[in-house]
């Protein structure tokens, strides 16, 4: 059997190095600005929440603390196993091996859907957006968090690593789909310099990672992101 489902978009950072990506998850957004921004638009207290591309399930326990039901969807089978192990003591959490464009959920069964740095990168993700429209209830909301490649050193490093990426075409795509966008000024904060350098090495090409490490003193990285959302 394949280690990931057909139709999945490869995510080399977490797929190839989940332990290092765990360090990144721990470092990102220590103030909880992303969660605060989303919950201000549509709270998930008492709701059914879907985490698309949940990876090792890092965010599921926090969601489960206030949501009635939390569903994780992840196409990589090794990560599904890690997520289930992480959440095995949480009775209101379930994790499915599934892609964003083929969710094993009934119509109108989700109140809040969240995708962080997973699948919804612009043109080509229309099948996943159609699934969001199918599974999200009226009165619900969908959120997509992604890197803002137009700002800061992190955006510049991203552009140098993936020169084919066009922020303009991606933004135009989301506007056509009727989504709203706001900026998130996040940061990464690490306990050890080695962890910061390891994370930069899984996010960028080797040459760009060397450059990023040389340009980054200390233990923090500014991490500009975008929050996109749609109300249903």
């Amino acid at each position: 059997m394949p280690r990931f489902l057909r139709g999945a978009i490869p995510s080399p950072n977490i797929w190839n190095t989940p332990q290092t990506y765990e360090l990144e998850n721990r470092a990102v957004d220590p103030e909880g600005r992303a969660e605060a921004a989303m919950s201000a638009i549509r709270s998930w207290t008492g709701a059914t929440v879907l985490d698309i591309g949940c990876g090792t399930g890092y965010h599921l326990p926090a969601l489960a603390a206030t949501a009635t039901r939390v569903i994780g969807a992840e196409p990589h089978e090794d990560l599904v196993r890690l997520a289930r192990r992480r959440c095995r003591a949480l009775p209101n959490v379930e994790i499915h091996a599934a892609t964003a464009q083929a969710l094993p959920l009934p119509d109108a069964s989700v109140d809040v859907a969240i995708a962080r740095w997973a699948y919804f990168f612009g043109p080509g993700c229309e099948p996943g957006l159609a699934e969001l429209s199918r599974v999200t209830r009226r009165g619900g909301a969908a959120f997509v968090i992604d890197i803002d490649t137009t700002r800061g050193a992190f955006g510049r490093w991203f552009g140098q690593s993936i020169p084919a990426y066009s922020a303009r075409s991606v933004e135009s795509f989301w506007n056509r789909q009727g989504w709203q966008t706001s900026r998130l000024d996040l940061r990464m904060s690490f306990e050890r310099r080695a962890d910061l350098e390891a994370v930069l090495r899984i996010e960028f090409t080797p040459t760009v990672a060397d450059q990023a490490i040389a340009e980054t003193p200390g233990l923090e990285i500014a991490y500009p992101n975008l929050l996109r959302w749609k109300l249903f």
Side-chain angles (χ1 to χ4, degrees):
M1 279 182 77
R3 290 176 57 226
F4 59 91
L5 301 181
R6 178 177 296 180
I9 296 176
S11 183
N13 50 12
I14 189 171
W15 284 18
N16 296 338
T17 52
Q19 291 180 331
T20 303
Y21 198 83
E22 186 82 2
L23 298 174
E24 184 169 357
N25 272 327
R26 292 176 189 167
V28 169
D29 192 19
E31 294 83 13
R33 291 177 179 174
E35 283 74 15
M38 289 187 288
S39 63
I41 295 168
R42 208 303 185 176
S43 171
W44 49 82
T45 299
T48 295
V49 181
L50 169 66
D51 186 343
I52 300 172
C54 70
T56 61
Y58 182 84
H59 297 285
L60 301 182
L63 294 170
T66 56
T68 297
R69 181 187 181 198
V70 175
I71 305 160
E74 169 56 48
H76 196 286
E77 294 171 354
D78 292 347
L79 301 186
V80 169
R81 285 191 286 272
L82 292 173
R84 287 174 175 164
R85 185 184 309 164
R86 167 175 258 139
C87 299
R88 60 191 169 192
L90 301 174
N92 61 333
V93 176
E94 61 193 77
I95 296 130
H96 298 275
T99 62
Q101 61 269 42
L103 297 168
L105 300 174
D107 294 353
S109 58
V110 170
D111 298 301
V112 177
I114 301 171
R116 306 171 199 246
W117 313 295
Y119 181 78
F120 294 100
F121 305 122
C125 72
E126 292 88 347
L129 293 179
E131 276 291 83
L132 278 180
S133 295
R134 181 184 68 80
V135 303
T136 306
R137 295 186 180 112
R138 185 170 183 178
F143 298 100
V144 170
I145 298 175
D146 204 2
I147 299 166
D148 185 349
T149 64
T150 68
R151 294 193 290 145
F154 203 99
R156 172 167 49 83
W157 300 328
F158 183 97
Q160 291 171 341
S161 293
I162 309 177
Y165 183 90
S166 170
R168 180 176 296 180
S169 66
V170 170
E171 192 65 26
S172 177
F173 170 84
W174 286 106
N175 289 338
R176 292 195 305 273
Q177 301 296 323
W179 286 57
Q180 300 183 68
T181 302
S182 61
R183 288 180 170 183
L184 288 174
D185 294 317
L186 309 184
R187 67 186 177 103
M188 298 185 193
S189 180
F190 295 87
E191 295 181 359
R192 302 190 311 151
R193 177 71 185 182
D195 296 343
L196 178 150
E197 294 184 5
V199 166
L200 288 174
R201 293 197 184 281
I202 69 168
E203 289 295 346
F204 305 116
T205 61
T207 299
V208 175
D210 287 341
Q211 174 188 340
I213 289 168
E215 292 181 16
T216 306
L219 298 174
E220 293 197 359
I221 303 171
Y223 189 44
N225 269 239
L226 295 170
L227 173 63
R228 308 188 194 276
W229 75 93
K230 185 174 183 179
L231 303 178
F232 291 83

